[in-house]
Amino acid sequence: MARYPGATWRPLPTSRLSGARMAAYNRVNLHVTAGIGSPFGVFDRPGAASSHFYVAKSGAVEQFVDTGLRAEADLDGNDATISVETEGGHPAAVANSEPWTAAQVESIARLYAWTVTTHGIALRMATSSALGEASRGLSWHRLGVDGAFPALPSVLAGRTQRGGGMRYSTVRGKVCPGDAKIQQIGAVLDRARELLRTQSTTSAPAPAPAPVAPGVPAPPYPLPAGHCFGPRSGPVWQHSGFFDHREHLRTWQARMRDRGWAIDPDGLYGAQTAATTRAFQAEKGLTVDALIGPVTWAAAWTAPITP
């Protein structure tokens, strides 16, 4: 059993996992999310797939499944694959064209280097999803996906163009992790090699988002300019049904309850939450718009609670 020291441990309930142990450690498979924010809420549902790790654009790493156990992100390859989701964009088309951030590249490289030293993953780039040496090392989802992708020798080729192999997905044409990111995998491998040469994989953990203020829980992830948590937030804090940010909304609702409002921490942004947020904003002299942005979020913890 193993947990990566550079990750925040967020274990999925055992009821969401098969419980099967890994049969071997042949590859690290890289994926991308079709949305912003941690996929924990998506994975924490009956019948949902899961990954071992998630790397946010900030470089922060979360671990959902102990690497001694199988996750379910790679279909035929689950028994020997450590799977890594990475934060992408919304909609999926953005994820295909958007590169990983520099912080993501660094964190992925450190995580991969850790798997090399901890689990003996090969320090090489996989060339297909075929059983054997070709599928060992640093891999990516598209290697096991059929579709009309560019032909070899392009690195963007998929399972069809590479002569078959294990299927990592039944969805034809799935671009995961996206063209721009696939073209960065060589840089991830080079950085991992450098880290292993200097034996520094744990000496400088990947940066985590800075807290808003002392004692203030950080928002779920750094917010793009103009975005917030609320009824008009679109896909950022409260995505319509794909990424589940209820745990973060519950944190806000519980804080409002602690401040004296009658509110149920149910994780749903409804009329009750909107009314409470407006009342809090009015009390503190903030813009009254019912949107929980960085200023409103911070005020809930920095402003004193009236006895």
Side-chain angles (χ1 to χ4, degrees):
M1 308 293 274
R3 298 177 190 173
Y4 175 50
T8 298
W9 174 237
R10 298 187 67 192
L12 287 168
T14 55
S15 61
R16 303 292 190 240
L17 305 172
S18 69
R21 295 187 62 81
M22 295 284 281
Y25 293 94
N26 291 341
R27 69 195 64 83
V28 168
N29 238 11
L30 302 177
H31 300 248
V32 67
T33 63
I36 298 174
S38 172
F40 179 88
V42 173
F43 295 160
D44 188 16
R45 294 176 179 174
S50 60
S51 69
H52 289 94
F53 295 96
Y54 164 73
V55 180
K57 290 183 178 180
S58 67
V61 181
E62 297 178 3
Q63 184 172 359
F64 307 131
V65 182
D66 191 292
T67 53
L69 302 175
R70 300 180 194 180
E72 293 90 27
D74 292 293
L75 200 62
D76 295 343
N78 286 338
D79 65 339
T81 300
I82 294 176
S83 50
V84 181
E85 285 283 358
T86 63
E87 186 174 20
H90 182 82
V94 175
N96 188 39
S97 59
E98 184 181 59
W100 284 312
T101 66
Q104 280 179 305
V105 170
E106 179 70 13
S107 290
I108 296 166
R110 288 183 178 276
L111 174 56
Y112 171 52
W114 175 81
T115 69
V116 172
T117 58
T118 304
H119 294 299
I121 300 286
L123 187 61
R124 62 183 297 275
M125 189 179 295
T127 56
S128 78
S129 64
L131 287 171
E133 194 66 20
S135 63
R136 297 176 186 269
L138 186 59
S139 178
W140 56 100
H141 205 201
R142 191 186 297 181
L143 289 182
V145 176
D146 290 331
F149 299 117
L152 288 174
S154 172
V155 71
L156 303 178
R159 177 180 177 275
T160 307
Q161 294 76 27
R162 296 173 187 268
M166 291 179 287
R167 282 186 168 85
Y168 297 149
S169 174
T170 59
V171 180
R172 182 176 177 82
K174 192 172 186 179
V175 300
C176 182
D179 291 0
K181 295 177 178 66
I182 291 172
Q183 291 168 332
Q184 291 176 289
I185 292 175
V188 171
L189 177 61
D190 289 344
R191 177 57 178 151
R193 283 174 172 153
E194 179 183 1
L195 289 165
L196 290 167
R197 279 197 302 270
T198 59
Q199 297 295 303
S200 61
T201 56
T202 59
S203 61
V212 177
V216 180
Y221 42 81
L223 295 175
H227 287 288
C228 53
F229 195 9
R232 291 189 285 123
S233 61
V236 181
W237 278 40
Q238 184 172 298
H239 190 286
S240 58
F242 194 78
F243 289 117
D244 187 352
H245 298 301
R246 289 186 179 182
E247 62 187 290
H248 306 301
L249 186 50
R250 286 192 188 100
T251 299
W252 168 263
Q253 292 167 325
R255 184 60 173 176
M256 292 295 98
R257 184 180 60 184
D258 292 344
R259 301 190 71 93
W261 275 280
I263 183 171
D264 179 23
D266 59 4
L268 301 175
Y269 198 108
Q272 182 189 56
T273 300
T276 299
T277 302
R278 288 191 183 95
F280 171 74
Q281 290 171 325
E283 177 188 292
K284 301 305 173 188
L286 306 174
T287 300
V288 180
D289 56 9
L291 303 180
I292 310 167
V295 173
T296 296
W297 178 278
W301 277 268
T302 56
I305 296 178
T306 303

